[in-house]
Amino acid sequence: MRSSLKYPAIIILFLLVREACFSQNDSAGKKPAYDSIQPVYDSIEIKHDSATNRLFNYIKIFGDSERRKNLLEYSEDTIATRQDETIELIKKLTLEAQSYLENGIDTTGLTDELKRIRLWYEITSDGVFINTGSIQTHRNLETSYKIIRELLIRTTARKLSLDNYYKSLANFRNEIDSLYQQEILYRFSSDSAVLMRYVERLTVVSQEIKPIDSSLKKTLINISELQPTVNLLVTKLAASIEQIELFQQRLSANTFKRSSNNLGGPVTYSRPFNEIITFSMIKAKLSFVFYVKNEMGKIVQLCILVIVCSVFLFNLKRNVQRRNLLNSNAPENLVLKHPFLSALFIVLNIFQFFFIDPPFIFSVLIWILTGLSMTFLLKNSIARYWLVAWLILFVLFLFACFDNLILQATRSERWIMVVLSGVGVISCTTVIVNGPRIQLKEKLLIWFLGFAVLMQVAAILSNVYGRYNLSKTFLTAGFFNVVLAILFYWALQFIIRGLALTARVYNKPDRQLFNINFDPVSGKAPPIFYVLLFVGWFALFARNFYASKFISDPIKNFILEKRTIGEFSYTIGSLFEFILILYVSGIISRTVAFFAAGETTTQESTGRKRGLGSWLLIIRISIISIGLLTALAAVGVPMDRLTIILSALSVGVGFGLQTLVNNLVSGLIISFEKPVSVGDIVEIGKQSGVVKSVGFRSSIITTSDGANVIIPNGDLLNQHLVNWTQENPSRAVNITVAVAYSTNLEQAIKILKALPGKDERILAIPEPTVMIRQFTGSSINIQLFFWVKNINDSEAVKSDIFLAIDSAFKEHSIGMPLYNKNDS
């Protein structure tokens, strides 16, 4: 501020001196042209000019010095500010790098995980790349392929995260180094005090940054050393998968060719059987654990479905017992015998198709659970012969599953396979020949047993003549075919009987929960059920043949292949998912509406309102909305694109959907404001009745004669609506009685006032009142006024009171005059 005031002071001084000089020049100019003392004045003027110039030069030099000084001060201030900003930016980036290091990849843990992956790979390689023996097996290649594929997915994910982590740390390091190299940090102040403070600050910041910078360098070195190991492992796993695929193709091409010596021929390769069992179980465990971790979401959904289905069956059983709708010998009782086991059996049979490409041991676990559940449910419900036959088949099935888990061929296993196939041939043939078919409900089972016999004979012949893989395929497929057919058949029976019971318990004359026609007595289901049963059985049966991949893989690729329309990408599978989610949402919405209607019937009979009926429309809208959003997310539609859909809807509204939108919005207003709720008794226009439902577009009112009147929601809000039960279900009733002029009015009033107290349906408070209303030409009109607890009982109460009045008047000889048309 002081330096800025110097320049105006110097300028003012300069102007004052110049003014004095100029004034002297002017006065000298007024002298005559000739003056004897002119030379003296000239010498004085020269002296004055010399002093002015010296003063002017001094002022100029002083001004330049001050300007340079101010510029220097400004420059140093600017440099200091930029230095502060740079130092703060270095500190900020260093702290971010420290946070990233603390929350980043644990290189030690990653190293341990890579060791485990290499160990798992070595285990998986057994029987495929090492200790191969003389025969490659389909099951070993398939199991090894799935394990190595999972290892490759995990390693690839670690590689990507490691690369991104290294890239981020390198970016931090480069940004910090570039800031360190900025020239502004190395320009120092001419003021020694300022310079010392700056040096001290740099020293402090350097001490703070040094350990973080050292850690950053160390981590970058560790990651750079780890990356080649991860890249090499990824390459090795990918190459192994390609090699296994090549082995599978060769093995499939040579399916019907001899792969080993005949069963009685010399042994070309020998390995301890217990060693084969050990590594087979380890591989099975690995594939099972990996799959369960990846499909944990579906497994949780499966558990939730089992719980929901169990609760439903428990409630169904309680309702059936309460209403005595079922005797102990009824076929439908089977599904309610043990609700949890029935739910587990039904859900597992259906939900297993949602698990895509599971390992064999996972499918075996599901089949064991369903088989044991069915056995426990049927043990006292089917003929003993067929129960024993089922148990024998199920045990043979378990042995076949265990044999299919053995991943390498040995002579011992081949003999076990021959024995197992022989027992299967004998058992199935015995059942076909000696089984009491009159006790067999599904005759088609005989054909499945015959097919199993053919498969086991083919397994024996293939095994004897050195076709090991073909023999194992025939062996497992033969038992799988008959056991899975039985499981699916009884699952269908349980579903039919559950639907039949549900329809009976929740039967309503005007509403139907299931639009399915079935006969629960004969156990026959609609043809579509049997079509689905066959498709499911065939899908599981075909998994035993490697050739099925040549059909399933193109179908999978067709379903999962991405297609693009403009900027929108979709798959056929996502479209199916979209339709399925909307369909399931609609079913859930209708089911909620159905049971809410049942609740409304209950509240009408009890006179008490429940919340679900009032909130039914909001619940249904929420279900449909969630289903729609989930379906859009499944098909890959971004949520920001919904604005386009809403814009299209707004255009549609402008071109003729005003009425529809008005009714939809009115439905929402009714749901929130509740001028009318489900179960209310209302009058609108010339219609009166009970509100049966409040839908999206319209509401249904059931009249006293049973007719359903559909009224648009907009009309409910726009017209005059009388709601008799919105706040209070009670209703006032007036009864007018005419008595003769000779009647003792006090006695008549006393009798009328006492009658309502004898009926429990009439409120005691407010008390019934009796008033004389009118004198006519032939009678005196007396009015009885009381409140009925429930409006639904008003007409019945009124009728009973009329009878009581008539009886009481006759008992006390109170006469009632004949009606006179002239009376008013």
Short mmCIF file of all heavy atoms in Angstrom, two decimals, residues 259-300:
data_model
loop_
_atom_site.label_atom_id
_atom_site.label_comp_id
_atom_site.label_asym_id
_atom_site.label_seq_id
_atom_site.Cartn_x
_atom_site.Cartn_y
_atom_site.Cartn_z
N SER A 259 -12.00 -99.50 -26.97
CA SER A 259 -11.08 -98.62 -26.25
C SER A 259 -10.16 -99.38 -25.31
O SER A 259 -9.25 -98.80 -24.73
CB SER A 259 -11.86 -97.58 -25.44
OG SER A 259 -12.75 -98.21 -24.54
N SER A 260 -10.41 -100.68 -25.12
CA SER A 260 -9.57 -101.50 -24.24
C SER A 260 -9.72 -102.96 -24.66
O SER A 260 -10.51 -103.30 -25.56
CB SER A 260 -9.97 -101.32 -22.77
OG SER A 260 -11.30 -101.77 -22.57
N ASN A 261 -8.99 -103.82 -24.00
CA ASN A 261 -9.11 -105.25 -24.27
C ASN A 261 -10.44 -105.78 -23.77
O ASN A 261 -11.13 -105.14 -22.96
CB ASN A 261 -7.96 -106.02 -23.59
CG ASN A 261 -6.61 -105.67 -24.21
OD1 ASN A 261 -6.53 -105.35 -25.40
ND2 ASN A 261 -5.56 -105.72 -23.39
N ASN A 262 -10.80 -106.96 -24.26
CA ASN A 262 -12.01 -107.61 -23.76
C ASN A 262 -11.90 -107.84 -22.26
O ASN A 262 -10.79 -107.84 -21.68
CB ASN A 262 -12.25 -108.92 -24.49
CG ASN A 262 -12.61 -108.71 -25.95
OD1 ASN A 262 -12.97 -107.60 -26.36
ND2 ASN A 262 -12.51 -109.76 -26.76
N LEU A 263 -13.05 -108.05 -21.65
CA LEU A 263 -13.07 -108.16 -20.19
C LEU A 263 -12.17 -109.27 -19.68
O LEU A 263 -11.57 -109.16 -18.61
CB LEU A 263 -14.51 -108.37 -19.71
CG LEU A 263 -14.74 -108.28 -18.20
CD1 LEU A 263 -14.31 -106.93 -17.68
CD2 LEU A 263 -16.20 -108.53 -17.87
N GLY A 264 -12.03 -110.35 -20.43
CA GLY A 264 -11.18 -111.46 -20.00
C GLY A 264 -9.77 -111.37 -20.53
O GLY A 264 -8.95 -112.26 -20.25
N GLY A 265 -9.43 -110.31 -21.27
CA GLY A 265 -8.11 -110.17 -21.86
C GLY A 265 -7.08 -109.66 -20.88
O GLY A 265 -7.37 -109.40 -19.70
N PRO A 266 -5.83 -109.48 -21.36
CA PRO A 266 -4.75 -109.01 -20.47
C PRO A 266 -4.97 -107.56 -20.04
O PRO A 266 -5.58 -106.76 -20.74
CB PRO A 266 -3.50 -109.16 -21.33
CG PRO A 266 -3.99 -109.08 -22.74
CD PRO A 266 -5.34 -109.71 -22.74
N VAL A 267 -4.46 -107.24 -18.86
CA VAL A 267 -4.55 -105.88 -18.31
C VAL A 267 -3.32 -105.09 -18.77
O VAL A 267 -2.18 -105.49 -18.50
CB VAL A 267 -4.62 -105.91 -16.78
CG1 VAL A 267 -4.64 -104.51 -16.22
CG2 VAL A 267 -5.82 -106.71 -16.30
N THR A 268 -3.55 -103.98 -19.47
CA THR A 268 -2.44 -103.17 -19.99
C THR A 268 -2.02 -102.06 -19.04
O THR A 268 -0.94 -101.50 -19.19
CB THR A 268 -2.85 -102.54 -21.33
OG1 THR A 268 -4.01 -101.74 -21.13
CG2 THR A 268 -3.13 -103.62 -22.38
N TYR A 269 -2.87 -101.68 -18.09
CA TYR A 269 -2.54 -100.62 -17.14
C TYR A 269 -3.18 -100.95 -15.80
O TYR A 269 -4.34 -101.36 -15.73
CB TYR A 269 -3.06 -99.27 -17.64
CG TYR A 269 -2.82 -98.13 -16.67
CD1 TYR A 269 -1.58 -97.50 -16.59
CD2 TYR A 269 -3.84 -97.68 -15.82
CE1 TYR A 269 -1.35 -96.46 -15.71
CE2 TYR A 269 -3.61 -96.64 -14.93
CZ TYR A 269 -2.37 -96.03 -14.88
OH TYR A 269 -2.15 -95.01 -13.99
N SER A 270 -2.41 -100.80 -14.76
CA SER A 270 -2.90 -101.14 -13.43
C SER A 270 -2.62 -99.99 -12.47
O SER A 270 -1.51 -99.44 -12.45
CB SER A 270 -2.23 -102.42 -12.92
OG SER A 270 -2.66 -102.72 -11.61
N ARG A 271 -3.62 -99.64 -11.69
CA ARG A 271 -3.50 -98.59 -10.68
C ARG A 271 -4.38 -98.98 -9.50
O ARG A 271 -5.51 -99.46 -9.70
CB ARG A 271 -3.92 -97.23 -11.23
CG ARG A 271 -3.65 -96.07 -10.29
CD ARG A 271 -4.08 -94.74 -10.91
NE ARG A 271 -3.77 -93.63 -10.04
CZ ARG A 271 -4.09 -92.36 -10.30
NH1 ARG A 271 -4.73 -92.07 -11.44
NH2 ARG A 271 -3.78 -91.40 -9.47
N PRO A 272 -3.92 -98.78 -8.27
CA PRO A 272 -4.73 -99.19 -7.11
C PRO A 272 -6.14 -98.57 -7.16
O PRO A 272 -6.29 -97.37 -7.40
CB PRO A 272 -3.92 -98.67 -5.92
CG PRO A 272 -2.51 -98.60 -6.42
CD PRO A 272 -2.62 -98.24 -7.86
N PHE A 273 -7.12 -99.41 -6.88
CA PHE A 273 -8.51 -98.95 -6.97
C PHE A 273 -8.81 -97.88 -5.92
O PHE A 273 -9.55 -96.93 -6.19
CB PHE A 273 -9.44 -100.16 -6.78
CG PHE A 273 -10.88 -99.85 -7.05
CD1 PHE A 273 -11.32 -99.43 -8.29
CD2 PHE A 273 -11.83 -99.95 -6.03
CE1 PHE A 273 -12.64 -99.13 -8.53
CE2 PHE A 273 -13.15 -99.66 -6.26
CZ PHE A 273 -13.57 -99.26 -7.51
N ASN A 274 -8.25 -98.03 -4.72
CA ASN A 274 -8.50 -97.03 -3.67
C ASN A 274 -7.90 -95.68 -4.04
O ASN A 274 -8.42 -94.62 -3.68
CB ASN A 274 -7.97 -97.52 -2.33
CG ASN A 274 -6.46 -97.78 -2.38
OD1 ASN A 274 -5.89 -97.91 -3.46
ND2 ASN A 274 -5.85 -97.86 -1.22
N GLU A 275 -6.79 -95.67 -4.78
CA GLU A 275 -6.20 -94.42 -5.22
C GLU A 275 -7.11 -93.72 -6.23
O GLU A 275 -7.27 -92.49 -6.20
CB GLU A 275 -4.83 -94.71 -5.85
CG GLU A 275 -4.04 -93.47 -6.22
CD GLU A 275 -2.67 -93.81 -6.77
OE1 GLU A 275 -2.05 -94.76 -6.24
OE2 GLU A 275 -2.24 -93.13 -7.74
N ILE A 276 -7.72 -94.49 -7.11
CA ILE A 276 -8.66 -93.92 -8.08
C ILE A 276 -9.88 -93.36 -7.36
O ILE A 276 -10.37 -92.27 -7.69
CB ILE A 276 -9.06 -95.00 -9.11
CG1 ILE A 276 -7.85 -95.39 -9.95
CG2 ILE A 276 -10.19 -94.49 -10.00
CD1 ILE A 276 -8.12 -96.51 -10.92
N ILE A 277 -10.37 -94.11 -6.36
CA ILE A 277 -11.52 -93.63 -5.59
C ILE A 277 -11.19 -92.32 -4.91
O ILE A 277 -11.99 -91.36 -4.89
CB ILE A 277 -11.95 -94.69 -4.55
CG1 ILE A 277 -12.47 -95.95 -5.23
CG2 ILE A 277 -13.02 -94.11 -3.62
CD1 ILE A 277 -13.74 -95.76 -6.00
N THR A 278 -9.97 -92.20 -4.36
CA THR A 278 -9.57 -91.00 -3.62
C THR A 278 -9.57 -89.77 -4.52
O THR A 278 -10.19 -88.74 -4.20
CB THR A 278 -8.18 -91.20 -3.00
OG1 THR A 278 -8.23 -92.31 -2.10
CG2 THR A 278 -7.76 -89.94 -2.24
N PHE A 279 -8.86 -89.86 -5.67
CA PHE A 279 -8.81 -88.65 -6.50
C PHE A 279 -10.15 -88.38 -7.17
O PHE A 279 -10.47 -87.23 -7.47
CB PHE A 279 -7.66 -88.75 -7.52
CG PHE A 279 -8.00 -89.35 -8.85
CD1 PHE A 279 -8.64 -88.61 -9.84
CD2 PHE A 279 -7.66 -90.66 -9.14
CE1 PHE A 279 -8.93 -89.15 -11.07
CE2 PHE A 279 -7.95 -91.21 -10.37
CZ PHE A 279 -8.59 -90.46 -11.33
N SER A 280 -10.98 -89.41 -7.37
CA SER A 280 -12.32 -89.18 -7.92
C SER A 280 -13.18 -88.40 -6.93
O SER A 280 -13.91 -87.47 -7.31
CB SER A 280 -12.99 -90.52 -8.26
OG SER A 280 -12.27 -91.20 -9.25
N MET A 281 -13.10 -88.76 -5.64
CA MET A 281 -13.88 -88.06 -4.64
C MET A 281 -13.40 -86.62 -4.44
O MET A 281 -14.20 -85.71 -4.22
CB MET A 281 -13.82 -88.82 -3.31
CG MET A 281 -14.51 -90.18 -3.32
SD MET A 281 -16.28 -90.09 -3.73
CE MET A 281 -16.27 -90.64 -5.45
N ILE A 282 -12.08 -86.43 -4.54
CA ILE A 282 -11.54 -85.06 -4.41
C ILE A 282 -12.03 -84.19 -5.56
O ILE A 282 -12.45 -83.03 -5.35
CB ILE A 282 -10.00 -85.10 -4.37
CG1 ILE A 282 -9.52 -85.77 -3.09
CG2 ILE A 282 -9.43 -83.68 -4.46
CD1 ILE A 282 -8.02 -85.96 -3.03
N LYS A 283 -12.02 -84.72 -6.76
CA LYS A 283 -12.52 -83.95 -7.91
C LYS A 283 -14.01 -83.66 -7.77
O LYS A 283 -14.48 -82.55 -8.07
CB LYS A 283 -12.26 -84.71 -9.21
CG LYS A 283 -10.84 -84.65 -9.71
CD LYS A 283 -10.75 -85.22 -11.11
CE LYS A 283 -9.34 -85.14 -11.66
NZ LYS A 283 -9.26 -85.62 -13.05
N ALA A 284 -14.78 -84.66 -7.31
CA ALA A 284 -16.21 -84.45 -7.12
C ALA A 284 -16.47 -83.36 -6.08
O ALA A 284 -17.35 -82.50 -6.25
CB ALA A 284 -16.87 -85.76 -6.70
N LYS A 285 -15.67 -83.38 -5.00
CA LYS A 285 -15.83 -82.37 -3.96
C LYS A 285 -15.51 -80.97 -4.50
O LYS A 285 -16.23 -80.00 -4.22
CB LYS A 285 -14.93 -82.70 -2.78
CG LYS A 285 -15.00 -81.70 -1.64
CD LYS A 285 -14.05 -82.08 -0.53
CE LYS A 285 -14.07 -81.02 0.59
NZ LYS A 285 -13.13 -81.36 1.68
N LEU A 286 -14.41 -80.86 -5.26
CA LEU A 286 -14.03 -79.57 -5.83
C LEU A 286 -15.12 -79.03 -6.74
O LEU A 286 -15.52 -77.86 -6.64
CB LEU A 286 -12.72 -79.71 -6.61
CG LEU A 286 -11.41 -79.71 -5.82
CD1 LEU A 286 -10.23 -79.91 -6.75
CD2 LEU A 286 -11.25 -78.41 -5.05
N SER A 287 -15.62 -79.85 -7.64
CA SER A 287 -16.66 -79.39 -8.57
C SER A 287 -17.92 -79.00 -7.82
O SER A 287 -18.59 -78.01 -8.18
CB SER A 287 -16.97 -80.49 -9.59
OG SER A 287 -17.45 -81.66 -8.96
N PHE A 288 -18.25 -79.74 -6.76
CA PHE A 288 -19.45 -79.43 -5.98
C PHE A 288 -19.30 -78.10 -5.25
O PHE A 288 -20.20 -77.26 -5.28
CB PHE A 288 -19.71 -80.57 -4.98
CG PHE A 288 -20.91 -80.34 -4.11
CD1 PHE A 288 -22.18 -80.59 -4.57
CD2 PHE A 288 -20.75 -79.87 -2.81
CE1 PHE A 288 -23.29 -80.38 -3.77
CE2 PHE A 288 -21.85 -79.65 -2.00
CZ PHE A 288 -23.13 -79.91 -2.49
N VAL A 289 -18.16 -77.89 -4.60
CA VAL A 289 -17.94 -76.65 -3.82
C VAL A 289 -17.93 -75.44 -4.74
O VAL A 289 -18.55 -74.41 -4.45
CB VAL A 289 -16.63 -76.75 -3.03
CG1 VAL A 289 -16.27 -75.40 -2.41
CG2 VAL A 289 -16.74 -77.81 -1.95
N PHE A 290 -17.24 -75.55 -5.87
CA PHE A 290 -17.19 -74.44 -6.81
C PHE A 290 -18.59 -74.08 -7.31
O PHE A 290 -18.97 -72.91 -7.38
CB PHE A 290 -16.30 -74.78 -8.00
CG PHE A 290 -14.82 -74.82 -7.66
CD1 PHE A 290 -13.93 -75.53 -8.44
CD2 PHE A 290 -14.33 -74.16 -6.55
CE1 PHE A 290 -12.57 -75.57 -8.12
CE2 PHE A 290 -12.99 -74.19 -6.22
CZ PHE A 290 -12.12 -74.89 -7.01
N TYR A 291 -19.38 -75.09 -7.65
CA TYR A 291 -20.71 -74.84 -8.20
C TYR A 291 -21.64 -74.24 -7.15
O TYR A 291 -22.42 -73.32 -7.45
CB TYR A 291 -21.30 -76.14 -8.76
CG TYR A 291 -22.54 -75.92 -9.58
CD1 TYR A 291 -22.46 -75.51 -10.90
CD2 TYR A 291 -23.81 -76.11 -9.04
CE1 TYR A 291 -23.59 -75.30 -11.67
CE2 TYR A 291 -24.95 -75.91 -9.80
CZ TYR A 291 -24.84 -75.49 -11.11
OH TYR A 291 -25.96 -75.27 -11.86
N VAL A 292 -21.56 -74.74 -5.93
CA VAL A 292 -22.43 -74.22 -4.86
C VAL A 292 -22.12 -72.75 -4.59
O VAL A 292 -23.03 -71.93 -4.41
CB VAL A 292 -22.27 -75.06 -3.59
CG1 VAL A 292 -22.91 -74.36 -2.39
CG2 VAL A 292 -22.90 -76.43 -3.77
N LYS A 293 -20.84 -72.38 -4.59
CA LYS A 293 -20.47 -70.98 -4.36
C LYS A 293 -21.00 -70.09 -5.48
O LYS A 293 -21.47 -68.97 -5.24
CB LYS A 293 -18.95 -70.85 -4.25
CG LYS A 293 -18.39 -71.39 -2.96
CD LYS A 293 -16.87 -71.18 -2.88
CE LYS A 293 -16.31 -71.67 -1.55
NZ LYS A 293 -14.84 -71.49 -1.48
N ASN A 294 -20.92 -70.58 -6.71
CA ASN A 294 -21.37 -69.77 -7.85
C ASN A 294 -22.89 -69.66 -7.91
O ASN A 294 -23.42 -68.66 -8.40
CB ASN A 294 -20.85 -70.36 -9.16
CG ASN A 294 -19.35 -70.25 -9.29
OD1 ASN A 294 -18.74 -69.37 -8.72
ND2 ASN A 294 -18.74 -71.16 -10.04
N GLU A 295 -23.60 -70.69 -7.43
CA GLU A 295 -25.06 -70.71 -7.54
C GLU A 295 -25.74 -70.51 -6.20
O GLU A 295 -26.87 -70.96 -6.00
CB GLU A 295 -25.51 -72.06 -8.14
CG GLU A 295 -24.96 -72.34 -9.53
CD GLU A 295 -25.52 -71.39 -10.58
OE1 GLU A 295 -26.61 -70.84 -10.36
OE2 GLU A 295 -24.86 -71.20 -11.61
N MET A 296 -25.07 -69.82 -5.28
CA MET A 296 -25.64 -69.63 -3.95
C MET A 296 -26.95 -68.87 -4.00
O MET A 296 -27.88 -69.15 -3.21
CB MET A 296 -24.63 -68.90 -3.06
CG MET A 296 -25.06 -68.79 -1.60
SD MET A 296 -25.42 -70.39 -0.84
CE MET A 296 -23.78 -71.12 -0.82
N GLY A 297 -27.06 -67.92 -4.91
CA GLY A 297 -28.32 -67.17 -5.04
C GLY A 297 -29.49 -68.07 -5.37
O GLY A 297 -30.57 -67.99 -4.77
N LYS A 298 -29.30 -68.98 -6.34
CA LYS A 298 -30.37 -69.91 -6.71
C LYS A 298 -30.68 -70.89 -5.57
O LYS A 298 -31.83 -71.25 -5.36
CB LYS A 298 -29.99 -70.67 -7.97
CG LYS A 298 -29.98 -69.83 -9.22
CD LYS A 298 -29.67 -70.68 -10.44
CE LYS A 298 -29.66 -69.82 -11.71
NZ LYS A 298 -29.34 -70.62 -12.92
N ILE A 299 -29.63 -71.30 -4.85
CA ILE A 299 -29.86 -72.23 -3.74
C ILE A 299 -30.69 -71.55 -2.65
O ILE A 299 -31.59 -72.17 -2.05
CB ILE A 299 -28.51 -72.72 -3.19
CG1 ILE A 299 -27.80 -73.59 -4.25
CG2 ILE A 299 -28.71 -73.53 -1.92
CD1 ILE A 299 -26.41 -74.01 -3.87
N VAL A 300 -30.41 -70.28 -2.39
CA VAL A 300 -31.22 -69.53 -1.41
C VAL A 300 -32.66 -69.42 -1.89
O VAL A 300 -33.61 -69.61 -1.10
CB VAL A 300 -30.60 -68.14 -1.17
CG1 VAL A 300 -31.53 -67.28 -0.33
CG2 VAL A 300 -29.24 -68.26 -0.49
#
